[in-house]
Amino acid sequence: MSHKKEEKQETSEHGMVRGLENRHVQLIAIAGTIGTGLFLGAGRSISLTGPSIILVYLITGVFMFFMMRAIGEMLYMDPNQHTFINFITKYLGKGWGFFSGWSYWISLIFLGMAEITAVSTYVQYWFPAWPAWLIQLVFLILLSSVNLIAVKIFGEAEFWFGMIKIITILGLIATGVFMVLTNFETSAGHASLANITDHFEMFPNGWVSFVMTFQMVFFAYQAIEFVGITTSETANPRKVLPKAIQEIPVRIVIFYVGALLAIMAIFPWRQLPIDESPFVMVFKLAGIKWAAAFINFVVLTAAASSLNSTLYSTGRHLYQLAKEAPTPLMTRLELDKLSRTGVPSPAIIISAIVIAISALINVIPGVSDAFSLITASSSGVYIAIYILTMIAHMRYRQSSEFMADGYLMPAYKVLNPLTIAFFIFVFVCLFLQDSTVIGAIGASIWIVLFGIYSQIKFKGK
């Protein structure tokens, strides 16, 4: 019995408790590929390019899988690293490591701010009189507590958050199959696969619309790398990691492609309402009168799940930054310290306080516009970090640390540069749409200026 307890409390060389179980990581891996964008934004992306949106999801999913194989290979070689940013520092130098570490932490903070804003919107669906700032602070305190107690509690919360998303999508797919098999009648005709195949065009609204959907779909997959961060806190990272990554393609086909096929088979895509969630529409057709309230509950749990994961990630990244490049302020705030349960508590608390600023931003008139601009910029910065990760992987392959019998990325000499080219293509796509062009310019300015500063700061080190 005592041996079992010791095994459960095993720690990594950084002192973090390996308290996550295999089932936690596998479900985090599944749910991590499903964002709120699928539940709310599917109608908009379908309206741009019709059934060929499935091809966009598949192509983007393939390249995200290649990136995960590169990250997985490096983490397999050194499972004590709880963030892939460390490999950028190791193989591209301290300057790019510093740039990536802070850029990634700031991008995650903005992601957290967007999620906490979304949470208050979903709660106000039922309680419109409740002030948004109060809802945001209550959720932040609750989810910070989940993260502060122990990593196992975090894993358990994510397990159930993820389960809700998965059951909803499977429910939608099952509804779609039932409606097609029974030739179910809707206000726009009958549910049938012919709704997808009849008059199929690759670019029904022109090739520019098709290309524009890539950046929308890319951000639906954003934070897919999160599963790599969690594996270092499992008892057997080298066993858990390959399994979690290997199943990503199957998940993409089942959850994304399956859900989109179901939606478009039930309802002709040209008549899909853009301003209503297709999930709400499908469940309403199935006779579920409280469909809107149910989907609102699902997206609320999806946003809470994302926020929970963001707090987990930001805490560990800030802890790592304090370890690698400490400043007097970081040392004073004890950001490089772990709690008795092996959790980077001070780093999680500071990250939560910074995310809480969004509650104030939404109250101050005029500031929210600037906030949405910065959030859009952080999305572009994310792409730069992914590219640096792929370059670090190439350097790792040429280093003396290369582990020939590890979890190897296949045909890396071809697939690695191809993946980098795809990420550059997505970045260029940000300049094609009015809603993302300003963010793309902001991201470019940040990458150039902060990149130069980071290189100068660590020149010769």
Side-chain angles (χ1 to χ4, degrees):
M1 188 75 178
S2 61
H3 171 67
K4 227 176 185 179
K5 190 156 178 96
E6 271 170 42
E7 194 177 80
K8 271 191 181 170
Q9 291 304 311
E10 187 194 330
T11 58
S12 70
E13 67 177 35
H14 297 289
M16 290 196 189
V17 172
R18 290 187 157 153
L20 289 178
E21 293 171 23
N22 183 35
R23 72 182 175 93
H24 293 143
V25 174
Q26 297 307 332
L27 218 97
I28 286 167
I30 296 170
T33 54
I34 309 164
T36 50
L38 178 63
F39 298 105
L40 296 177
R44 175 157 168 67
S45 53
I46 290 169
S47 73
L48 273 171
T49 193
S52 61
I53 188 69
I54 289 166
L55 192 63
V56 179
Y57 270 95
L58 286 173
I59 293 168
T60 309
V62 163
F63 284 109
M64 296 309 262
F65 174 62
F66 291 157
M67 181 188 73
M68 285 310 299
R69 286 300 301 259
I71 291 174
E73 182 178 344
M74 294 187 288
L75 283 169
Y76 188 91
M77 178 273 295
D78 186 358
N80 283 306
Q81 299 297 347
H82 54 269
T83 154
F84 63 96
I85 302 290
N86 293 2
F87 298 112
I88 296 174
T89 309
K90 199 181 234 183
Y91 301 113
L92 302 183
K94 284 192 171 176
W96 285 121
F98 180 80
F99 167 85
S100 303
W102 280 109
S103 296
Y104 192 69
W105 184 76
I106 291 164
S107 294
L108 284 173
I109 287 290
F110 284 123
L111 210 60
M113 286 177 165
E115 282 147 5
I116 197 71
T117 307
V119 162
S120 60
T121 309
Y122 303 142
V123 171
Q124 282 177 327
Y125 174 88
W126 290 295
F127 307 103
W130 289 11
W133 64 268
L134 185 64
I135 298 166
Q136 291 175 26
L137 291 179
V138 169
F139 261 83
L140 257 178
I141 291 164
L142 280 173
L143 293 174
S144 299
S145 306
V146 163
N147 271 274
L148 289 168
I149 300 164
V151 72
K152 189 167 183 179
I153 305 295
F154 158 80
E156 208 57 48
E158 272 308 285
F159 181 85
W160 293 106
F161 279 151
M163 196 63 92
I164 291 165
K165 287 195 276 190
I166 289 161
I167 290 167
T168 305
I169 294 174
L170 293 177
L172 174 94
I173 294 167
T175 305
V177 170
F178 171 77
M179 287 182 173
V180 167
L181 291 176
T182 57
N183 203 23
F184 191 91
E185 193 171 344
T186 70
S187 57
H190 291 274
S192 165
L193 289 175
N195 287 333
I196 301 167
T197 54
D198 281 3
H199 313 294
F200 175 80
E201 282 178 79
M202 185 63 103
F203 312 126
N205 295 321
W207 67 270
V208 176
S209 290
F210 178 77
V211 167
M212 269 173 15
T213 56
F214 274 94
Q215 53 89 9
M216 294 168 74
V217 170
F218 176 84
F219 295 116
Y221 285 117
Q222 198 173 313
I224 196 172
E225 75 282 355
F226 177 62
V227 66
I229 299 168
T230 59
T231 50
S232 67
E233 291 180 62
T234 61
N236 195 344
R238 281 190 175 155
K239 188 181 172 190
V240 172
L241 181 72
K243 190 174 188 300
I245 293 174
Q246 212 55 42
E247 290 171 6
I248 287 173
V250 178
R251 289 174 197 135
I252 287 166
V253 171
I254 293 172
F255 295 109
Y256 278 109
V257 177
L260 293 167
L261 282 172
I263 290 163
M264 288 185 285
I266 293 165
F267 218 78
W269 71 270
R270 290 178 194 276
Q271 293 172 52
L272 271 173
I274 302 172
D275 52 348
E276 186 184 13
S277 163
F279 278 74
V280 172
M281 191 203 70
V282 168
F283 287 130
K284 270 186 185 166
L285 285 173
I288 301 169
K289 290 189 174 67
W290 37 269
F294 171 65
I295 294 302
N296 191 71
F297 167 71
V298 172
V299 289
L300 173 61
T301 57
S305 161
S306 298
L307 184 65
N308 195 27
S309 303
T310 301
L311 286 166
Y312 176 97
S313 268
T314 48
R316 276 141 189 85
H317 275 92
L318 193 56
Y319 167 77
Q320 194 63 37
L321 286 164
K323 279 273 192 203
E324 285 179 0
T327 62
L329 179 64
M330 284 176 151
T331 310
R332 207 158 51 243
L333 292 170
E334 298 188 327
L335 296 179
D336 58 345
K337 296 281 190 292
L338 294 172
S339 69
R340 279 181 301 130
T341 53
V343 169
S345 300
I348 291 170
I349 291 165
I350 293 296
S351 297
I353 289 167
V354 178
I355 291 172
I357 293 168
S358 70
L360 298 173
I361 287 169
N362 291 322
V363 174
I364 304 164
V367 180
S368 59
D369 294 342
F371 169 62
S372 45
L373 164 67
I374 296 164
T375 308
S377 303
S378 71
S379 300
V381 174
Y382 229 100
I383 299 173
I385 296 161
Y386 284 168
I387 291 170
L388 287 169
T389 304
M390 297 309 292
I391 298 169
H393 174 258
M394 280 203 272
R395 292 274 176 89
Y396 157 70
R397 273 296 184 109
Q398 292 146 13
S399 74
S400 57
E401 289 181 312
F402 170 58
M403 188 177 173
D405 61 343
Y407 176 54
L408 305 184
M409 179 187 182
Y412 89 98
K413 283 184 180 173
V414 177
L415 298 182
N416 192 309
L418 260 181
T419 306
I420 292 172
F422 176 75
F423 289 151
I424 293 167
F425 161 71
V426 174
F427 194 87
V428 171
C429 289
L430 292 172
F431 290 88
L432 296 176
Q433 215 170 351
D434 292 343
S435 59
T436 54
V437 68
I438 298 170
I441 294 165
S444 304
I445 294 167
W446 172 267
I447 292 162
V448 172
L449 296 184
F450 190 54
I452 292 168
Y453 168 78
S454 303
Q455 291 308 307
I456 293 168
K457 181 178 169 73
F458 288 94
K459 200 174 182 183
K461 288 188 184 179

